[in-house]
Amino acid sequence: MKSTFHIMLIPTLGCPAHCKYCWSSDEHSPRMSIETIEEVVAWLKDFRDDQVTVTFHGGEPLLAGEAFYREALPLLSDGLSHLNPTFAIQTNLWLLTPGIADLFAEYNIPIGSSIDGPKEICDVQRGEGYYERTMRGYEIAREHGLDVRFICTFTSDSVERKEEIFDFFLENNLTLKLHPALPSLRDSNPDRWTLSPEKYGELLIYLLDQSLEHLGEIEVMNINDLCRGVFTRHGTVCTYADCMGNTFAIGPDGSIYPCYRFVGMPEFVMGNVATHPSREELEASAVWKQMEAFRAYVDEHCKDCAHIKYCRGGCPYNAIAPTGGEVMGVDPHCPAYARIFEEIGGRINKEMFESSPFLEMGGPRSRRSRATKPGVMALIRQIAMR
C-alpha cells in the first residue's frame, strides 16, 4: 500500500502560547516569505507526480498573517494543479479571523487544533487564558463551516484525569486525537510532563473501551488508526509507517527536513527548496542515510515482532532525536504500542472466531458468550463506511 505524499510548510516556529511541555516553539524564528512558497512550487512541479497534501504547521502558522495565505494558497493551488493539492492547517486558532476563515472555507481547509480538556486542566498545561482564546477561534471556524478536530496532549499529570477529559470531548461533540507529551526543550526538567509508556498504554486501552462504549457518539482518531492498522496489516498514519520519502517538511527559510518535528534542528536539514533538489540528491544526504539506518535497525531488531508490518518501530523522531541522530533503539513508546496492538488483535480474533459460521451451526462452542457491547469489528465497519 503506497503512502500519501505529504508536504508540511512551517511558516514560523514562533508561537504566542507558552505551553509548559512545548518541545518545538522558537520565539526568535523567522517567517516564511512568499518567495519561498514560489520556490516550493518550482521544486515540486517536477519532483513527483502523486497527489499531494500540503499542511501548514508550526509553531503557530497563523502568525504568517492573512496576506501571506491570500498569496500562498493560489500559488500552491494553481502552480501544483497537476498534483491536485489539498490543504490542511494545525493551529491554536488564537489568530483566526473571519477573513482568514472565509479564505480557508474557499479552499476547503480542515483545521487541526489543540485543547487538553476542560479549562481547569487545559490552562494548567498550556497557560492561563489558552482555553478561552482557542474556543473563541473555534466558534469563528464553526460559523464559517470549517471542520475542526482537536489534539489533546496527555501529560503525566492530566492522564490521571482521563475520565474528565474524555467526558469533556464527548459532551461537547468534539473529535479527539491524543498525543503523549514528549520531553520539553524549554524546561530545565525536560521529563516533568512526559507521559510514560506504561501510562500511555493504559490510556490507549481506556480510550479503546470508551470508543466502543460510545460507538457513533465520538471519534477518537488514534483508536481508529490503530484498529485499521491491525486489521489491514499496514500502518495508516506516519507514526506507524515508513514515512521517509513520502513526507517532507519545509522550514521558514526553505530548508527541507524529513518531518516537521525536526524543523529548526540544523543537523537534520536535507537540502533547500531554492536549489530544487532531486529525490536522488536528497537520498544522498546524511539525514536520509540516518533515516535509512533507522529503517534497517527496525527490520533487524523487530523482525520477530508480530506487529512490525503496521508499527515499523514507531516514530523515527522519537527514536533518534534524543540521541543526536544516532540509531540506538526504536520509539520509546514501543511498549505502549505493543500493548494496544495486542489488545486490538486479540479482540479481533476473538470476535471473528465467535461469529464463525461453523459455530453458528452448532459447533463445539455454540454456547459461547454473546458480546453485549460493540466490538472492534463494529468500529472497523464504521470506519470503512466513511
Side-chain angles (χ1 to χ4, degrees), residues 61-78:
L62 290 185
L63 282 171
E66 182 175 340
F68 172 84
Y69 287 99
R70 290 203 175 276
E71 287 191 74
L73 286 168
L75 281 170
L76 292 161
S77 182
D78 297 340

Side-chain angles (χ1 to χ4, degrees), residues 137-153:
Y138 175 58
E139 290 304 319
I140 293 173
R142 289 185 62 188
E143 288 167 3
H144 289 78
L146 296 172
D147 177 31
V148 182
R149 298 184 172 198
F150 286 100
I151 289 173
C152 177
T153 299

Side-chain angles (χ1 to χ4, degrees), residues 6 8 243-250 255-263 265 267-271 285 287-288 290-291 316-317 320:
H6 192 190
M8 310 184 84
C243 57
M244 192 62 188
N246 294 308
T247 296
F248 298 98
I250 315 302
S255 293
I256 303 171
Y257 301 82
C259 172
Y260 83 95
R261 287 186 166 186
F262 293 103
V263 175
M265 303 172 72
E267 64 271 30
F268 289 100
V269 173
M270 307 168 67
S285 69
V287 180
W288 191 293
Q290 285 175 301
M291 300 294 282
Y317 173 88
I320 69 177

Side-chain angles (χ1 to χ4, degrees), residues 324-382:
E326 185 177 354
V327 179
M328 300 174 63
V330 297
D331 186 333
H333 286 131
C334 173
Y337 304 150
R339 182 170 181 184
I340 188 64
F341 286 141
E342 289 289 339
E343 185 71 21
I344 293 170
R347 293 192 190 191
I348 289 175
N349 289 336
K350 185 173 185 291
E351 291 169 25
M352 295 182 73
F353 176 72
E354 289 187 344
S355 63
S356 72
F358 173 68
L359 294 177
E360 293 290 348
M361 294 173 65
R365 294 188 59 187
S366 58
R367 293 185 179 180
R368 70 196 185 288
S369 60
R370 295 185 179 273
T372 58
K373 298 178 181 178
V376 172
M377 290 304 300
L379 176 59
I380 290 172
R381 285 191 291 272
Q382 177 179 276

Side-chain angles (χ1 to χ4, degrees), residues 238-307:
C238 62
T239 302
Y240 312 111
D242 280 326
C243 57
M244 192 62 188
N246 294 308
T247 296
F248 298 98
I250 315 302
D253 64 352
S255 293
I256 303 171
Y257 301 82
C259 172
Y260 83 95
R261 287 186 166 186
F262 293 103
V263 175
M265 303 172 72
E267 64 271 30
F268 289 100
V269 173
M270 307 168 67
N272 193 289
V273 295
T275 66
H276 308 167
S278 65
R279 181 183 174 94
E280 290 72 25
E281 289 172 321
L282 294 179
E283 287 178 353
S285 69
V287 180
W288 191 293
K289 290 179 170 58
Q290 285 175 301
M291 300 294 282
E292 289 286 0
F294 175 74
R295 178 183 291 167
Y297 181 90
V298 170
D299 286 339
E300 177 59 30
H301 181 79
C302 305
K303 63 184 178 183
D304 296 324
C305 177
H307 314 297

Side-chain angles (χ1 to χ4, degrees), residues 9 11 37 54-58 61 68-69 72-73 76 87-90:
L9 299 180
I37 294 292
V54 178
T55 299
F56 296 95
H57 214 293
F68 172 84
Y69 287 99
L73 286 168
L76 292 161
F87 301 97
I89 190 168
Q90 181 67 36

